[in-house]
Amino acid sequence: MKRKITLKQIARELDVSISTVSKALRNSKEISEDTREKVQAFAKLYNYRPNNIALSLKNRKTKTIGIIIPEIVHHFFSKVISGIELVANKRGYNVIVGLSNESFDKEVINMEMLANGSIDGFILSIAKQTLQQQDYHHFSETISQGMPIVMFDRVVNDIQCDKVIVDDVQGAKKAVNKLVENGCKTIAIITTKDYVSVGKLRTQGYLEALDENKIHPEASLILKVDDKLVSEDYLDILEREIEQLFQTNKKMDGIFAVNELYAITAMKVARKQNKKIPDDIQVIGFTDGVLSKHATPSLTTVSQHGQKIGEKAAELLIHKLEHEDEEEQFQTVIIETELVERESTK
Amino acid sequence: MKRKITLKQIARELDVSISTVSKALRNSKEISEDTREKVQAFAKLYNYRPNNIALSLKNRKTKTIGIIIPEIVHHFFSKVISGIELVANKRGYNVIVGLSNESFDKEVINMEMLANGSIDGFILSIAKQTLQQQDYHHFSETISQGMPIVMFDRVVNDIQCDKVIVDDVQGAKKAVNKLVENGCKTIAIITTKDYVSVGKLRTQGYLEALDENKIHPEASLILKVDDKLVSEDYLDILEREIEQLFQTNKKMDGIFAVNELYAITAMKVARKQNKKIPDDIQVIGFTDGVLSKHATPSLTTVSQHGQKIGEKAAELLIHKLEHEDEEEQFQTVIIETELVERESTK
DNA sequence: ATTCGCAGCGAAAACGTTTTCGTGTTAACA
DNA sequence: TGTTAACACGAAAACGTTTTCGCTGCGAAT
C-alpha cells in the first residue's frame, strides 16, 4: 500500500530541488532538456499526479461546484444534476451534492459545511420549509462572502443572484390552450397550495389561459392539494380528493395537473369512473418524467427540460467564477417549456 | 464582498500570535481565560469557520466520499445516493458525485479526478462498458494506493474490496415461486444479455426456481434483450420483441422481468393483446421504482432497497476509513430483497 | 583581464491550519 | 537571594503545490 508520490519524494530520489521537479513537469524552459526528461520519466513511472487539495489551497480555488437540492430521488432534480455535471466536467469542475430534504435546517447546515473552502460556488433549489419561513439569511451571507450562487426552479426575488427558471405561467397556458383547442369546455386544475412558487405560477397561467379563451373560472374546478403530507396514505388522500373533484364536476372534460403524480392519479381515478382517456376526458401534466412516458395511456406533459436547466445554471456559475473581475450583474434565464403530446390528449 | 476571515487576520487584529488564536478557539487550557474570551468573541462576531481545504491538507483527510455511478437519472441509483448521503452526513462526511454514463473512459477519468486528494474513498457501481471489457486496472490501482473502495450492485469478483449486493438469484426465485404459487404454468423471463451480472444472476434464479418446481425451462420463454441500444426507438424494438414473445407462447400466463421497464412494457403489450392482468397473465418486475408503484395495474416487484444498500456501503467505507490500523479484510454484505405484492399478481 | 548575459538550478514564501517545543515572566519556596 | 514550577504565549514545522527571485558558473564580448 504505497501512498501517492509527491514532488518532494521525486526531488529526493533524483537529487534535485522541489522547484526543479515542479518546473520540469510543467515544461518550463528554465530547466535543461536533460533534467526535464529525467524528471518526467520518473514521474510517469510512479504515476505522479498533483495533489488537488494542495492546489486548491494555493490557488484558493477548488474547481468544485456545490449543489443543494431538496431531494435527489426525483426525476427532475436528477436530470438537473446530470446537466450540471455534464458542463462542469467538461470545464474541469467537480460536483458535490448536498440534500436538504426540504428542511430549512439541513439546507443551512449543508451550505455551511460546503462554504468553508470546499467549493467555489453554489447551484441550488430552495427547500419548501425555507420558502415557507421566508428566511434567506444563509443565502445573502454566502453571497456577501464572495461566493456566487445560482438558483434554479425554486427561486426567490429577494436574493440578488443568477437564476434559471422555467416559464411556469407560459407553460401552464400552453397546456390549457391545448385543452381548449382540443375542444374541452370544462377544464380543472390540480395544483398545490400557494406557497410553492411553481404551483402558484402554474395556477396563474391556468387562470390567464381561461381568461384569454373567455372561459369563466370556477372555484370548484380548482383543487389545491396540500403537499406537506408526505405520509404513507398521501396517495389515498390525493386519490380521494380527486374523486371528489370528479363528483362535483360531472361535466369536466379536461384536467391540467401541475405535476406528474397528480396527473397520473387523475387518470387512475378517471379509469375507475369508466371515463375514457382521451375521449371523455383529456389530461395534461407538468414535468416530463418517467411516469409520463410509460403510463398507459402515456401522458401529454409540459416538459421543463431539466437537463438544460442544469447546463445553463452551470454555465452561469462557471462564467461568474472565471470572470470575477467583471462588474456584478445578475441575469435570470428562462428555459422554454415544451408541450410533449402523447396519448392522453386528442 | 469581504473574504472569509482567517486565523492570521484575527491574530493581527487582536495583536496575538496565530497559535494563540487557534488554541483559544479550541479551548486549550494553555490560554488564559481573558484571551480566550476575547478571541472567541471576535471570531464569533466575524463568523469564523476553519478552512476545510487547509484542514484536509494538514490532516491528509478530506472527510469526503466519492461516488461513481453509471447514471443518476435512475430511481435505484438516486435511492442509493440518498442512503449514502444520509449516513455520510451523519458522520461528518460530504459526498461528491461522478457519473460514468456507462462509459469506461469516463469512469477512469472521473476516478482519476477524484483520487488525487479530493476524497478519502470510493463507493461505486461499475459501468456496463467496463464490465464488458473486463478492464479493472483503475480499481486495483486506486486500492493499491491506499484508497478504499466499496462496490455495490454491479460488482466484480476479481477486485478485493468491500461489496454490497442484492441477492439477485434469491430475489428472482422469490418472484418465480410466487408466480408458480399463484397458479402460473408457463412462465417467461425478460432479461438482459449475460454480461450484465445482475441480468445473468436473475436468469439463473429463474432457472433454479423452475427446476425446484419441476417445470421444464423452454428456450422460447427466455427473452434476452440487448440493452446496449439506447437509441430513440429502443422502446419500439423492446415492444416488438415482447410481442414476438407473446406470439410464440400463446399459453404464457406469467412473466418475470428483470427490471421495471421490461415489466411495464410487457403489461402494455398484454393489454394490446387483450389479456387481462392479473387474470390472464401475471407480471412481476425487479427494482422498486416509481413506475411500479404508479402503473395501472400497479406492479408486483422484487424490491432491492436501494436506500439500505447506500447506507450499508457508506457504513462499510467510513468504518474502513476510520479503522485503517485494523488488518485488512473484506466483506460482502447481502441486502435481502423483498417481494412487494401489488395488483399485477393474484 | 574585466564585465556582461544567460542558462540552470535552488531557496523561500505563500495558501490556512494544528501542534510541538521553546521562552519569558511571575509567584512560591528553601 | 537563588531555584523552581506554573502559566501564558510565540516560533516554527508540516501538509503539497507554484512561483518569484537570487545565485552560481561559464562563454562571449569589450
Side-chain angles (χ1 to χ4, degrees):
Chain A
M1 191 182 70
K2 36 175 191 183
R3 274 229 157 289
K4 296 226 72 172
I5 199 170
T6 69
L7 287 188
K8 195 194 278 196
Q9 293 171 45
I10 300 183
R12 197 182 306 141
E13 290 297 314
L14 296 183
D15 208 36
V16 291
S17 79
I18 297 182
S19 1
T20 303
V21 178
S22 174
K23 288 170 190 167
L25 291 176
R26 324 200 104 250
N27 278 317
S28 159
K29 316 212 69 179
E30 269 184 75
I31 307 299
S32 72
E33 202 165 330
D34 243 29
T35 324
R36 239 188 297 165
E37 282 176 5
K38 196 175 58 178
V39 171
Q40 297 197 358
F42 192 90
K44 183 155 201 174
L45 181 63
Y46 282 88
N47 197 25
Y48 169 80
R49 294 275 183 282
N51 181 305
N52 266 332
I53 295 290
L55 285 179
S56 298
L57 184 59
K58 179 137 191 42
N59 302 330
R60 294 145 121 224
K61 302 222 157 153
T62 62
K63 285 255 173 190
T64 302
I65 294 175
I67 304 183
I68 310 274
I69 49 172
E71 50 170 334
I72 200 173
V73 190
H74 192 298
H75 191 265
F76 174 66
F77 286 123
S78 45
K79 269 276 183 201
V80 174
I81 293 190
S82 175
I84 296 174
E85 214 259 357
L86 183 72
V87 342
N89 270 14
K90 206 181 288 169
R91 315 225 0 204
Y93 283 75
N94 274 318
V95 156
I96 180 166
V97 174
L99 306 181
S100 69
N101 265 316
E102 304 285 11
S103 134
F104 174 78
D105 289 340
K106 263 210 85 184
E107 186 172 272
V108 172
I109 290 174
N110 250 312
M111 284 190 67
E112 280 191 352
M113 259 185 109
L114 298 184
N116 302 309
S118 305
I119 60 162
D120 295 339
F122 279 109
I123 295 178
L124 57 84
S125 190
I126 308 179
K128 277 184 197 164
Q129 201 189 347
T130 308
L131 287 171
Q132 272 186 277
Q133 299 182 199
Q134 303 191 23
D135 182 349
Y136 308 128
H137 76 278
H138 48 311
F139 300 140
S140 38
E141 271 174 21
T142 310
I143 292 174
S144 83
Q145 289 187 341
M147 177 162 300
I149 291 183
V150 176
M151 296 187 176
F152 71 89
D153 198 50
R154 306 209 202 131
V155 305
V156 77
N157 285 328
D158 314 21
I159 302 291
Q160 289 274 327
C161 64
D162 285 334
K163 288 158 196 164
V164 182
I165 53 173
V166 138
D167 190 344
D168 287 290
V169 178
Q170 209 57 42
K173 283 171 80 170
K174 282 185 193 172
V176 176
N177 280 332
K178 184 77 202 169
L179 290 174
V180 173
E181 272 176 41
N182 285 2
C184 295
K185 303 289 180 202
T186 313
I187 302 174
I189 180 174
I190 309 178
T191 180
T192 59
K193 301 267 185 202
D194 274 349
Y195 66 86
V196 183
S197 62
V198 296
K200 187 172 174 182
L201 291 172
R202 290 169 197 174
T203 308
Q204 181 188 331
Y206 163 79
L207 292 173
E208 285 181 19
L210 288 190
D211 187 57
E212 284 173 17
N213 287 289
K214 313 244 188 291
I215 301 180
H216 196 71
E218 285 186 43
S220 69
L221 283 170
I222 300 179
L223 173 57
K224 291 195 183 179
V225 180
D226 188 355
D227 70 343
K228 255 181 295 186
L229 19 99
V230 199
S231 60
E232 271 306 301
D233 31 37
Y234 175 52
L235 273 180
D236 286 343
I237 297 178
L238 178 63
E239 212 172 311
R240 235 168 296 139
E241 294 202 29
I242 295 178
E243 273 169 16
Q244 193 58 45
L245 180 70
F246 273 80
Q247 292 304 328
T248 43
N249 300 284
K250 300 285 187 191
K251 288 173 53 186
M252 181 170 69
D253 55 2
I255 297 182
F256 168 55
V258 300
N259 62 43
E260 246 186 356
L261 189 56
Y262 292 175
I264 295 285
T265 312
M267 294 208 296
K268 197 170 176 182
V269 173
R271 200 172 301 114
K272 271 194 192 167
Q273 316 237 343
N274 280 323
K275 301 239 184 193
K276 290 261 178 285
I277 299 171
D279 300 324
D280 302 338
I281 191 163
Q282 301 181 50
V283 183
I284 298 185
F286 213 112
T287 283
D288 196 22
V290 261
L291 284 178
S292 313
K293 197 182 295 176
H294 298 295
T296 344
S298 57
L299 183 67
T300 297
T301 59
V302 181
S303 165
Q304 320 184 67
H305 298 299
Q307 172 120 3
K308 241 186 224 164
I309 293 179
E311 290 170 16
K312 193 64 203 177
E315 279 165 18
L316 284 175
L317 183 62
I318 293 176
H319 180 89
K320 193 128 283 178
L321 291 175
E322 299 185 346
H323 299 80
E324 281 183 331
D325 38 334
E326 287 180 16
E327 56 167 329
E328 286 283 21
Q329 69 179 21
F330 302 107
Q331 35 182 326
T332 296
V333 175
I334 296 176
I335 303 291
E336 279 284 315
T337 57
E338 181 193 0
L339 193 69
V340 180
E341 296 188 46
R342 299 209 183 81
E343 300 164 357
S344 67
T345 47
K346 280 181 197 168
Chain B
M1 191 183 67
K2 35 174 191 185
R3 272 229 159 287
K4 294 227 74 172
I5 198 168
T6 69
L7 287 187
K8 196 195 276 197
Q9 293 172 43
I10 300 184
R12 197 182 306 142
E13 289 297 315
L14 297 183
D15 208 36
V16 291
S17 78
I18 297 182
S19 1
T20 304
V21 178
S22 174
K23 290 171 190 166
L25 290 176
R26 324 199 105 250
N27 277 317
S28 160
K29 317 210 67 180
E30 267 186 75
I31 306 300
S32 72
E33 202 164 332
D34 243 30
T35 324
R36 238 187 298 165
E37 283 176 5
K38 196 175 58 177
V39 171
Q40 298 197 359
F42 192 90
K44 183 155 201 173
L45 180 64
Y46 282 88
N47 197 27
Y48 169 79
R49 294 275 182 282
N51 181 306
N52 267 332
I53 295 290
L55 285 179
S56 297
L57 184 59
K58 179 136 190 45
N59 302 331
R60 293 144 121 224
K61 303 222 157 154
T62 62
K63 285 259 175 185
T64 302
I65 294 174
I67 304 181
I68 310 275
I69 49 173
E71 51 170 334
I72 200 172
V73 191
H74 192 298
H75 191 264
F76 174 67
F77 286 122
S78 45
K79 270 275 183 203
V80 174
I81 293 190
S82 175
I84 297 174
E85 214 259 358
L86 183 72
V87 343
N89 270 13
K90 205 182 287 169
R91 315 223 1 204
Y93 283 75
N94 274 319
V95 155
I96 179 165
V97 174
L99 307 181
S100 68
N101 264 317
E102 304 285 9
S103 134
F104 174 79
D105 289 339
K106 263 210 85 183
E107 188 173 271
V108 173
I109 291 175
N110 250 312
M111 284 189 67
E112 280 190 352
M113 257 187 108
L114 298 184
N116 302 308
S118 304
I119 61 162
D120 295 339
F122 278 110
I123 295 178
L124 57 84
S125 191
I126 309 179
K128 278 183 196 164
Q129 201 190 346
T130 309
L131 288 172
Q132 272 186 277
Q133 299 183 199
Q134 303 192 24
D135 182 349
Y136 309 128
H137 76 277
H138 49 310
F139 301 140
S140 38
E141 271 174 20
T142 310
I143 292 174
S144 83
Q145 289 187 340
M147 178 161 300
I149 292 185
V150 176
M151 296 188 177
F152 71 90
D153 197 50
R154 304 207 204 136
V155 305
V156 78
N157 285 328
D158 315 22
I159 302 290
Q160 289 275 326
C161 65
D162 285 334
K163 288 157 196 162
V164 182
I165 53 173
V166 139
D167 191 344
D168 286 290
V169 178
Q170 209 57 44
K173 283 171 78 170
K174 282 186 193 169
V176 176
N177 281 331
K178 184 76 203 172
L179 290 174
V180 174
E181 274 176 40
N182 284 2
C184 294
K185 304 289 180 204
T186 314
I187 302 174
I189 180 173
I190 308 179
T191 180
T192 59
K193 301 269 186 201
D194 274 348
Y195 66 86
V196 183
S197 63
V198 297
K200 187 173 174 182
L201 291 171
R202 290 170 197 171
T203 309
Q204 182 188 333
Y206 163 81
L207 292 172
E208 285 181 18
L210 289 190
D211 188 57
E212 284 173 19
N213 287 290
K214 314 243 187 291
I215 301 180
H216 196 71
E218 285 185 44
S220 70
L221 283 170
I222 300 178
L223 173 56
K224 292 195 184 180
V225 180
D226 189 356
D227 69 342
K228 255 180 293 186
L229 19 99
V230 200
S231 60
E232 270 305 302
D233 32 36
Y234 175 52
L235 273 180
D236 285 344
I237 296 176
L238 178 62
E239 212 172 312
R240 236 169 295 140
E241 294 201 28
I242 295 178
E243 272 168 17
Q244 192 58 44
L245 180 70
F246 273 80
Q247 293 304 328
T248 45
N249 300 283
K250 299 286 186 191
K251 289 174 52 186
M252 182 170 69
D253 54 4
I255 297 181
F256 168 54
V258 300
N259 62 43
E260 245 186 357
L261 189 55
Y262 293 176
I264 295 284
T265 312
M267 294 208 295
K268 196 171 176 182
V269 173
R271 199 171 302 114
K272 270 194 194 168
Q273 316 236 343
N274 278 323
K275 302 238 184 192
K276 289 262 178 284
I277 299 172
D279 300 324
D280 302 337
I281 191 162
Q282 302 180 50
V283 182
I284 297 185
F286 212 111
T287 283
D288 197 22
V290 261
L291 284 178
S292 312
K293 197 182 295 175
H294 298 295
T296 344
S298 57
L299 183 67
T300 297
T301 58
V302 181
S303 165
Q304 321 185 67
H305 299 298
Q307 172 120 5
K308 242 187 223 163
I309 293 179
E311 290 171 15
K312 192 65 202 177
E315 279 166 17
L316 284 175
L317 183 62
I318 292 177
H319 180 91
K320 193 125 284 175
L321 290 176
E322 298 185 346
H323 299 80
E324 281 185 331
D325 39 335
E326 287 179 16
E327 55 168 328
E328 286 283 21
Q329 69 180 19
F330 301 107
Q331 35 183 326
T332 296
V333 175
I334 296 177
I335 303 290
E336 279 285 314
T337 57
E338 182 193 359
L339 192 69
V340 180
E341 296 188 48
R342 298 210 183 81
E343 300 164 356
S344 67
T345 49
K346 281 181 196 167

